[in-house]
Amino acid sequence: MVPEQRKHKTGIRRKVILIVCLSTLTVMLIGIGMGYFFGFNLLRDTVGDIHRRLSQLLASHITKLFDEEMDRIKNYSDDAIWKGAVIKSNLKYEAMGPEAAKAHLKDINEIWAKAKTKSNLLNEYLDNDISAKLRTIVNEDKNIAELSIIDRFGVLVAASDKTSSFCFADKKWHQEFFANAAGKIFIG
Protein backbone atom coordinates (compact mmCIF):
# COMPACT_ATOMS: atom_id res chain seq x y z
CA MET A 1 0.00 0.00 0.00
CA VAL A 2 2.80 2.31 0.49
CA PRO A 3 3.54 2.52 -3.22
CA GLU A 4 -0.10 3.46 -3.95
CA GLN A 5 -0.06 6.21 -1.34
CA ARG A 6 3.17 7.47 -2.73
CA LYS A 7 1.73 7.55 -6.26
CA HIS A 8 -1.34 9.37 -5.00
CA LYS A 9 0.79 11.98 -3.15
CA THR A 10 2.90 12.53 -6.24
CA GLY A 11 -0.21 13.19 -8.33
CA ILE A 12 -1.57 15.70 -5.83
CA ARG A 13 1.84 17.34 -5.47
CA ARG A 14 2.07 17.71 -9.26
CA LYS A 15 -1.41 19.19 -9.41
CA VAL A 16 -0.63 21.68 -6.64
CA ILE A 17 2.68 22.65 -8.28
CA LEU A 18 0.89 22.99 -11.65
CA ILE A 19 -1.85 25.16 -10.13
CA VAL A 20 0.74 27.33 -8.32
CA CYS A 21 2.82 27.69 -11.50
CA LEU A 22 -0.22 28.50 -13.64
CA SER A 23 -1.49 30.99 -11.05
CA THR A 24 1.92 32.61 -10.83
CA LEU A 25 2.21 32.73 -14.62
CA THR A 26 -1.30 34.19 -14.92
CA VAL A 27 -0.54 36.87 -12.31
CA MET A 28 2.76 37.67 -14.06
CA LEU A 29 1.09 37.95 -17.48
CA ILE A 30 -1.67 40.15 -16.10
CA GLY A 31 0.95 42.30 -14.33
CA ILE A 32 3.05 42.60 -17.47
CA GLY A 33 -0.03 43.42 -19.55
CA MET A 34 -1.23 46.05 -17.09
CA GLY A 35 2.26 47.46 -16.75
CA TYR A 36 2.57 47.74 -20.52
CA PHE A 37 -0.89 49.28 -20.88
CA PHE A 38 -0.44 51.84 -18.10
CA GLY A 39 3.20 52.47 -19.01
CA PHE A 40 2.25 53.06 -22.64
CA ASN A 41 -0.54 55.45 -21.62
CA LEU A 42 1.86 57.28 -19.33
CA LEU A 43 4.44 57.53 -22.10
CA ARG A 44 1.82 58.68 -24.61
CA ASP A 45 0.49 61.31 -22.18
CA THR A 46 4.00 62.50 -21.36
CA VAL A 47 5.02 62.77 -25.01
CA GLY A 48 1.71 64.45 -25.84
CA ASP A 49 2.23 66.96 -23.06
CA ILE A 50 5.76 67.71 -24.27
CA HIS A 51 4.53 68.20 -27.84
CA ARG A 52 1.74 70.46 -26.62
CA ARG A 53 4.22 72.62 -24.65
CA LEU A 54 6.61 72.77 -27.61
CA SER A 55 3.74 73.79 -29.89
CA GLN A 56 2.73 76.55 -27.50
CA LEU A 57 6.32 77.82 -27.30
CA LEU A 58 6.65 77.73 -31.07
CA ALA A 59 3.32 79.51 -31.56
CA SER A 60 4.35 82.15 -29.03
CA HIS A 61 7.68 82.67 -30.77
CA ILE A 62 6.10 82.89 -34.22
CA THR A 63 3.51 85.36 -32.91
CA LYS A 64 6.28 87.48 -31.44
CA LEU A 65 8.23 87.45 -34.71
CA PHE A 66 5.10 88.27 -36.68
CA ASP A 67 4.23 91.14 -34.33
CA GLU A 68 7.75 92.55 -34.63
CA GLU A 69 7.54 92.35 -38.42
CA MET A 70 4.12 94.03 -38.36
CA ASP A 71 5.47 96.84 -36.19
CA ARG A 72 8.32 97.33 -38.64
CA ILE A 73 5.93 97.42 -41.60
CA LYS A 74 3.59 99.80 -39.74
CA ASN A 75 6.53 102.14 -39.21
CA TYR A 76 7.09 102.18 -42.96
CA SER A 77 3.40 102.68 -43.68
CA ASP A 78 3.32 105.79 -41.50
CA ASP A 79 5.75 107.44 -43.92
CA ALA A 80 4.22 110.70 -45.21
CA ILE A 81 5.47 110.04 -48.76
CA TRP A 82 3.71 106.65 -48.81
CA LYS A 83 0.48 108.09 -47.42
CA GLY A 84 0.62 110.96 -49.87
CA ALA A 85 0.98 108.57 -52.82
CA VAL A 86 -2.02 106.54 -51.67
CA ILE A 87 -4.15 109.65 -51.14
CA LYS A 88 -3.17 110.96 -54.58
CA SER A 89 -4.13 107.62 -56.16
CA ASN A 90 -7.46 107.56 -54.29
CA LEU A 91 -8.29 111.09 -55.47
CA LYS A 92 -7.37 110.25 -59.06
CA TYR A 93 -9.90 107.41 -59.28
CA GLU A 94 -12.56 109.20 -57.21
CA ALA A 95 -12.49 112.07 -59.69
CA MET A 96 -13.12 109.68 -62.63
CA GLY A 97 -16.38 108.32 -61.32
CA PRO A 98 -17.13 104.62 -60.78
CA GLU A 99 -17.90 103.54 -64.35
CA ALA A 100 -15.11 105.51 -66.01
CA ALA A 101 -12.62 104.28 -63.39
CA LYS A 102 -13.74 100.69 -63.88
CA ALA A 103 -13.29 100.88 -67.68
CA HIS A 104 -9.95 102.67 -67.33
CA LEU A 105 -8.64 100.11 -64.83
CA LYS A 106 -9.76 97.22 -67.01
CA ASP A 107 -7.75 98.63 -69.91
CA ILE A 108 -4.68 99.33 -67.77
CA ASN A 109 -4.88 95.87 -66.21
CA GLU A 110 -4.65 94.30 -69.68
CA ILE A 111 -1.73 96.54 -70.65
CA TRP A 112 -0.03 95.74 -67.32
CA ALA A 113 -0.30 92.00 -67.86
CA LYS A 114 1.35 92.28 -71.30
CA ALA A 115 3.92 94.93 -70.35
CA LYS A 116 7.60 94.13 -70.69
CA THR A 117 10.33 95.11 -68.27
CA LYS A 118 11.04 98.56 -69.69
CA SER A 119 7.58 99.92 -70.50
CA ASN A 120 6.47 103.40 -69.39
CA LEU A 121 3.61 101.95 -67.34
CA LEU A 122 5.92 99.63 -65.41
CA ASN A 123 8.47 102.38 -64.90
CA GLU A 124 5.81 104.70 -63.47
CA TYR A 125 4.93 102.22 -60.69
CA LEU A 126 8.17 100.26 -60.24
CA ASP A 127 10.85 102.92 -60.72
CA ASN A 128 9.96 105.51 -58.14
CA ASP A 129 11.17 106.33 -54.61
CA ILE A 130 8.50 104.25 -52.90
CA SER A 131 9.14 101.19 -55.07
CA ALA A 132 12.86 101.53 -54.45
CA LYS A 133 12.21 101.53 -50.69
CA LEU A 134 9.93 98.46 -51.07
CA ARG A 135 12.68 96.65 -53.01
CA THR A 136 15.19 97.52 -50.29
CA ILE A 137 12.89 96.05 -47.63
CA VAL A 138 12.39 92.86 -49.67
CA ASN A 139 16.13 92.53 -50.32
CA GLU A 140 16.99 93.03 -46.64
CA ASP A 141 14.40 90.58 -45.32
CA LYS A 142 14.41 87.16 -47.01
CA ASN A 143 11.10 86.32 -45.30
CA ILE A 144 9.30 88.85 -47.51
CA ALA A 145 8.80 87.81 -51.11
CA GLU A 146 7.02 90.90 -52.41
CA LEU A 147 5.59 94.17 -51.14
CA SER A 148 3.02 96.31 -52.82
CA ILE A 149 0.96 99.31 -51.83
CA ILE A 150 -2.55 99.59 -53.15
CA ASP A 151 -5.18 102.27 -52.66
CA ARG A 152 -8.73 101.77 -51.43
CA PHE A 153 -9.91 101.02 -54.96
CA GLY A 154 -7.45 98.12 -55.20
CA VAL A 155 -5.20 99.99 -57.61
CA LEU A 156 -1.44 99.59 -57.42
CA VAL A 157 0.40 102.61 -56.04
CA ALA A 158 3.89 101.09 -55.85
CA ALA A 159 5.47 97.62 -55.70
CA SER A 160 8.81 95.99 -55.09
CA ASP A 161 8.47 94.09 -58.36
CA LYS A 162 5.91 93.57 -61.11
CA THR A 163 2.72 92.19 -59.62
CA SER A 164 0.36 89.74 -61.28
CA SER A 165 -2.24 92.45 -61.67
CA PHE A 166 -2.47 96.23 -61.67
CA CYS A 167 -5.89 96.37 -60.10
CA PHE A 168 -6.83 94.05 -57.23
CA ALA A 169 -10.39 95.30 -56.73
CA ASP A 170 -11.84 92.08 -58.16
CA LYS A 171 -9.83 89.88 -55.76
CA LYS A 172 -11.82 88.37 -52.92
CA TRP A 173 -9.17 89.23 -50.32
CA HIS A 174 -9.31 92.90 -51.31
CA GLN A 175 -13.10 93.05 -51.16
CA GLU A 176 -13.26 91.35 -47.76
CA PHE A 177 -10.39 93.34 -46.33
CA PHE A 178 -11.50 96.78 -47.44
CA ALA A 179 -15.11 96.10 -46.52
CA ASN A 180 -14.04 95.61 -42.89
CA ALA A 181 -10.73 97.41 -42.40
CA ALA A 182 -10.19 100.31 -44.76
CA GLY A 183 -6.76 101.83 -44.28
CA LYS A 184 -5.27 98.86 -42.44
CA ILE A 185 -2.30 96.72 -43.39
CA PHE A 186 -3.04 93.41 -45.13
CA ILE A 187 -0.50 90.61 -45.27
CA GLY A 188 -1.15 87.72 -47.59
Side-chain angles (χ1 to χ4, degrees):
M1 268 207 183
V2 177
E4 282 181 22
Q5 284 180 343
R6 199 176 210 207
K7 189 178 185 183
H8 187 59
K9 278 187 174 181
T10 306
I12 290 176
R13 188 184 298 161
R14 282 185 181 170
K15 288 179 184 176
V16 170
I17 291 172
L18 181 63
I19 289 172
V20 169
C21 286
L22 288 176
S23 298
T24 305
L25 184 61
T26 303
V27 169
M28 284 177 48
L29 289 175
I30 290 172
I32 290 170
M34 289 177 64
Y36 175 77
F37 176 74
F38 290 116
F40 181 76
N41 282 342
L42 179 63
L43 179 64
R44 185 186 67 218
D45 292 346
T46 303
V47 170
D49 188 46
I50 290 170
H51 283 151
R52 190 174 15 268
R53 280 191 260 151
L54 285 173
S55 297
Q56 289 169 342
L57 284 171
L58 183 61
S60 171
H61 185 68
I62 289 172
T63 301
K64 182 181 173 190
L65 290 174
F66 185 77
D67 289 344
E68 288 172 357
E69 196 68 25
M70 282 300 300
D71 288 342
R72 195 169 72 99
I73 292 172
K74 283 178 186 176
N75 288 336
Y76 290 127
S77 70
D78 287 339
D79 188 305
I81 296 171
W82 291 22
K83 283 183 177 181
V86 172
I87 291 169
K88 181 179 173 185
S89 180
N90 285 336
L91 292 174
K92 176 181 176 181
Y93 294 104
E94 272 180 7
M96 285 185 176
E99 292 304 315
K102 195 173 188 178
H104 175 72
L105 291 173
K106 183 182 178 203
D107 293 340
I108 289 187
N109 220 18
E110 290 174 6
I111 295 168
W112 181 268
K114 295 174 186 173
K116 302 296 181 204
T117 56
K118 295 293 180 186
S119 75
N120 289 338
L121 180 63
L122 288 179
N123 290 342
E124 182 180 346
Y125 293 92
L126 300 179
D127 287 338
N128 57 46
D129 292 339
I130 299 171
S131 293
K133 182 63 176 171
L134 294 176
R135 271 191 301 284
T136 302
I137 295 168
V138 169
N139 291 336
E140 288 174 356
D141 190 339
K142 298 302 176 195
N143 294 320
I144 299 175
E146 178 181 72
L147 284 175
S148 57
I149 300 173
I150 59 172
D151 67 11
R152 69 183 174 122
F153 298 103
V155 177
L156 187 68
V157 175
S160 58
D161 203 359
K162 184 180 178 194
T163 57
S164 60
S165 182
F166 179 78
C167 180
F168 299 92
D170 60 339
K171 307 292 185 211
K172 185 177 178 181
W173 62 264
H174 178 267
Q175 293 166 359
E176 289 175 1
F177 182 73
F178 272 88
N180 298 320
K184 302 289 185 196
I185 294 174
F186 174 79
I187 295 181

